[in-house]
Amino acid sequence: MLQDYDITALIITLRLAATTTIILLIVGTPIAWWLANTRSRLRSTIEAIIALPLVLPPTVLGFYLLLAFSPDGPVGKAVAALGLPSLAFSFTGLVLGSVIYSMPFVVQPLQNSFVSLGKRPLEVAATLGASAIDRFISVVLPLSKMGYLTAAVLGFAHTLGEFGVVLMIGGNIPGQTQVLSIAIYDHVEALEYGQAHWLAGGLLIGSFLVLLMVYGANRRIHLMKTA
Amino acid sequence: MIEVELHLQRSEFQLNVEFSVPGHGVSAVFGPSGCGKTTLLRAIAGLEPDATGSLEVNGRKWQSPLKRLPVEARGVGLVFQHPSLFPHLTVEENLFYGMKRLRKVSNPFDLKELILILGIEQLLKRHPDSLSGGELQRVALGRALLAEPKLLLMDEPLSMLDQASREILMQLLESFLQQIDIPVLYVTHSSEEVARLADNLVLLSRGGVTACGPTTTVLASLNSELSRSESAFSVLQGRISNKELSGLLSVECSDGIDLKVPASESMVAKHYNLGRAVRLRIRARDVSICLERPQQSSILNILPAVIMEISTSSDSGSRVIKLDIAGMHILSKISDYSVQQLGLHTGQAVFAQIKSASLV
């Protein structure tokens, strides 16, 4: 059965994934919009930077984040200057790391969705008197529903499965920064296969159900469109 | 007045236009594809951020070298070539999208009546993806009008429709665009649409305006590229004067000058009452010239005319001749050879044989 510290790890994981997803949807929207519409030469550079976590071993990202967060690192110094607690080995640090690590999983679906929207609906809305913000809320958001759902699910799921970055910057402190994936690793290391099964199996089934819901919703929206 | 002076530089294309048209009625922007018609319309709407110059619509400055109003502040109605309803909204919600965003609603249209005129009363609760092309375009027109635009722009609104829906929408536009108080700029490459809808005509060619003015005057001018082209045509206005002839209608175009045009019995019964104002389109290549009145000809319309102007010879060896028939001007396209043979010259009295004229 699940131990108390397993349940704590589960709650920390869900909190981390939820916080990260919400922040990413808010931060990712303007980034994805800019990428979808800009003619700037900077675009490819920004796209490449955002896609980096897709190819880098998470430990590389975690290593540099750890250096940045350390008391001598640029971020660590800035945080200390503001009188805030250190980011390394803290939940806030984990959220920051996860936001960077899961960024492409949110930005890319949003960007694709904005691109496929085309300019026409927005031009029509403008001629009908809608301001830029009004156009975004009344036209872009409802027409990008699927993009947002995909982005949210991928961002959430990817953060759930995070291991390397968390281990590097979180330090595996039970009750504070120990997440599910690391708890599983610890159980396996300790040869507690039964408990590892509970966590791993739960994660497997949970992830499957979430994806099933997304694809189901996707299909319903698709059917509605062709009905 | 609608005064336009706009410039736009693209890598492979330049738009440099300067013209003005009356601030009421329908003005057609006519030209071959690729001449910049759509770009011009988009620049007027404010959708081309790189367009420079100035633009004034009935006293309101939309753009000057110092300031340009954003699209949403212009009060411009735009009906695109592809019907562009919002797919996530019902027909009704689409119709009201612009109206809901008006600061001050003055309701120039009676909503129920407009919906009836457009013939969309059955569609209100439906989603755009279940509508036909013609239905979509009628909803798009209603949506643009309900936003109470100061200028209505239409970009080949009929070109994507099949023949039947095109005819329905055309008949609607013919009567409706004349009734509304909003000036219309209507982009098209169809001479039929020009003849049927346009009070004024702006000819566009390779990104520049070649002629501009009342439709009949512009069409009768020999200076435009259109008059030299194969598709040159004239438009005459008249009234139905006799509908007793079998298969024919008589149209009085000028004092005592009647033109006979073919018309099916059912059309005559349905649409054409005695005295109704109609327009005729006559292609220049359907008008030939004789020095004496031909006797016993199968051609119905043979009228005395005076030669006003003869164009220079074109590449294809033909010339365009501007004829005056009791004050009306029509173009005739004949070969250079015939002009020489008959010794045609300005001021000469001749007879114009009009092989076919069509009611539009």
Side-chain angles (χ1 to χ4, degrees):
Chain A
M1 270 307 289
L2 289 179
Q3 308 283 327
D4 275 355
Y5 60 84
D6 287 333
I7 291 172
T8 315
L10 175 65
I11 290 169
I12 289 174
T13 309
L14 292 178
R15 245 183 78 206
L16 177 65
T19 316
T20 304
T21 308
I22 290 166
I23 292 175
L24 271 177
L25 288 179
I26 295 168
V27 177
T29 296
I31 297 176
W33 185 254
W34 183 81
L35 288 174
N37 291 292
T38 187
R39 276 185 273 173
S40 160
R41 261 187 286 169
L42 272 178
R43 197 186 80 175
S44 351
T45 316
I46 304 286
E47 274 182 317
I49 291 174
I50 287 173
L52 268 180
L54 291 175
V55 292
L56 276 184
T59 41
V60 172
L61 193 64
F63 173 61
Y64 284 114
L65 281 174
L66 186 64
L67 289 185
F69 288 171
S70 74
D72 297 330
V75 180
K77 273 185 190 159
V79 167
L82 291 170
L84 299 170
S86 164
L87 288 174
F89 312 117
S90 74
F91 183 75
T92 318
L94 280 194
V95 171
L96 201 60
S98 308
V99 164
I100 294 170
Y101 180 55
S102 297
M103 180 86 77
F105 293 86
V106 172
V107 168
Q108 287 183 357
L110 290 184
Q111 187 184 341
N112 291 340
S113 169
F114 294 156
V115 168
S116 70
L117 200 65
K119 283 197 164 41
R120 182 50 56 80
L122 291 162
E123 291 182 345
V124 174
T127 63
L128 292 169
S131 66
I133 294 173
D134 187 358
R135 295 198 286 271
F136 190 83
I137 295 172
S138 66
V139 177
V140 178
L141 281 185
L143 288 178
S144 307
K145 244 186 283 173
M146 234 13 257
Y148 273 94
L149 185 62
T150 311
V153 169
L154 288 181
F156 190 89
H158 191 244
T159 312
L160 273 190
E162 188 177 319
F163 183 83
V165 177
V166 178
L167 197 61
M168 295 294 274
I169 63 174
N172 196 10
I173 306 167
Q176 283 181 45
T177 60
Q178 190 187 55
V179 296
L180 219 52
S181 56
I182 297 179
I184 295 170
Y185 178 75
D186 282 352
H187 284 310
V188 175
E189 283 281 272
L191 299 177
E192 298 160 348
Y193 280 22
Q195 294 193 355
H197 266 311
W198 272 104
L199 291 180
L203 208 54
L204 185 75
I205 292 167
S207 304
F208 174 71
L209 290 178
V210 169
L211 288 177
L212 194 64
M213 261 161 39
V214 173
Y215 287 115
N218 208 337
R219 185 165 166 268
R220 268 205 309 283
I221 289 179
H222 190 72
L223 283 178
M224 255 168 55
K225 272 186 185 162
T226 50
Chain B
M1 287 290 273
I2 298 162
E3 287 168 76
V4 184
E5 190 233 312
L6 289 170
H7 311 280
L8 182 64
Q9 180 74 53
R10 289 266 176 79
S11 50
E12 73 292 4
F13 173 78
Q14 255 190 355
L15 185 74
N16 283 304
V17 294
E18 199 175 342
F19 67 91
S20 59
V21 288
H24 54 83
V26 180
S27 302
V29 178
F30 182 80
S33 39
C35 71
K37 301 187 296 283
T38 296
T39 311
L40 169 64
L41 218 58
R42 290 176 54 85
I44 292 175
L47 293 170
E48 293 290 345
D50 301 331
T52 57
S54 57
L55 173 61
E56 199 174 307
V57 175
N58 285 336
R60 287 187 186 79
K61 274 236 174 300
W62 281 10
Q63 182 165 349
S64 71
L66 302 171
K67 190 171 178 268
R68 61 194 293 281
L69 274 185
V71 186
E72 61 267 28
R74 294 188 177 201
V76 59
L78 184 49
V79 177
F80 290 90
Q81 188 172 8
H82 295 266
S84 308
L85 297 190
F86 299 122
H88 61 296
L89 300 179
T90 62
V91 166
E92 198 170 27
E93 290 164 335
N94 265 287
L95 276 178
F96 297 151
Y97 187 93
M99 202 169 89
K100 279 200 307 201
R101 284 161 173 81
L102 283 172
R103 289 223 189 87
K104 201 176 75 206
V105 184
S106 46
N107 285 320
F109 303 103
D110 182 81
L111 185 61
K112 278 201 186 118
E113 198 186 314
L114 181 67
I115 288 172
L116 280 178
I117 291 175
L118 294 171
I120 53 175
E121 64 276 13
Q122 308 292 331
L123 312 173
L124 295 176
K125 300 290 174 209
R126 285 169 53 186
H127 271 273
D129 46 20
S130 66
L131 268 56
S132 73
E135 290 170 335
L136 289 169
Q137 209 55 303
R138 278 179 278 151
V139 177
L141 175 62
R143 179 177 66 177
L145 290 172
L146 285 174
E148 301 179 17
K150 309 284 184 289
L151 171 65
L152 179 63
L153 305 173
M154 304 186 83
D155 186 7
E156 308 205 26
L158 305 178
S159 64
M160 304 304 286
L161 305 181
D162 60 74
Q163 190 57 45
S165 356
R166 184 180 309 184
E167 188 50 39
I168 293 173
L169 191 52
M170 177 82 111
Q171 283 178 11
L172 189 148
L173 292 178
E174 254 177 314
S175 56
F176 189 60
L177 293 183
Q178 297 296 335
Q179 287 168 28
I180 59 176
D181 233 1
I182 302 165
V184 182
L185 268 186
Y186 188 102
V187 157
T188 180
H189 66 260
S190 142
S191 62
E192 190 194 348
E193 286 169 36
V194 170
R196 288 175 71 165
L197 300 172
D199 307 310
N200 302 287
L201 186 55
V202 180
L203 293 184
L204 208 60
S205 171
R206 287 188 288 272
V209 171
T210 54
C212 170
T215 304
T216 43
T217 315
V218 172
L219 289 177
S221 156
L222 294 189
N223 299 324
S224 74
E225 216 164 302
L226 174 66
S227 70
R228 289 152 197 266
S229 76
E230 275 311 303
S231 51
F233 64 99
S234 313
V235 170
L236 299 181
Q237 282 163 331
R239 291 186 179 281
I240 307 282
S241 57
N242 184 356
K243 47 187 280 187
E244 304 307 320
L245 309 160
S246 136
L248 290 174
L249 273 177
S250 224
V251 179
E252 183 172 14
C253 294
S254 176
D255 272 344
I257 301 289
D258 276 13
L259 284 175
K260 293 181 187 62
V261 293
S264 71
E265 300 283 343
S266 61
M267 288 267 290
V268 172
K270 211 162 38 171
H271 294 299
Y272 298 110
N273 301 321
L274 219 52
R276 195 198 131 151
V278 291
R279 288 178 176 191
L280 297 177
R281 178 183 50 167
I282 300 170
R283 291 197 164 89
R285 60 166 187 259
D286 289 338
V287 180
S288 56
I289 291 175
C290 315
L291 295 180
E292 286 166 32
R293 181 186 280 276
Q295 304 296 320
Q296 300 169 332
S297 164
S298 68
I299 289 174
L300 292 165
N301 298 302
I302 299 173
L303 300 164
V306 175
I307 295 178
M308 297 177 71
E309 204 181 337
I310 302 176
S311 77
T312 51
S313 181
S314 77
D315 298 341
S316 58
S318 64
R319 291 197 191 214
V320 185
I321 294 179
K322 184 170 167 182
L323 297 166
D324 180 295
I325 303 176
M328 303 176 301
H329 298 162
I330 65 171
L331 299 182
S332 159
K333 193 182 194 78
I334 58 177
S335 70
D336 201 15
Y337 179 79
S338 305
V339 174
Q340 309 283 349
Q341 281 293 305
L342 298 176
L344 298 181
H345 56 87
T346 309
Q348 190 176 9
V350 293
F351 287 89
Q353 285 198 107
I354 302 170
K355 203 161 71 188
S356 87
S358 51
L359 275 173
V360 289

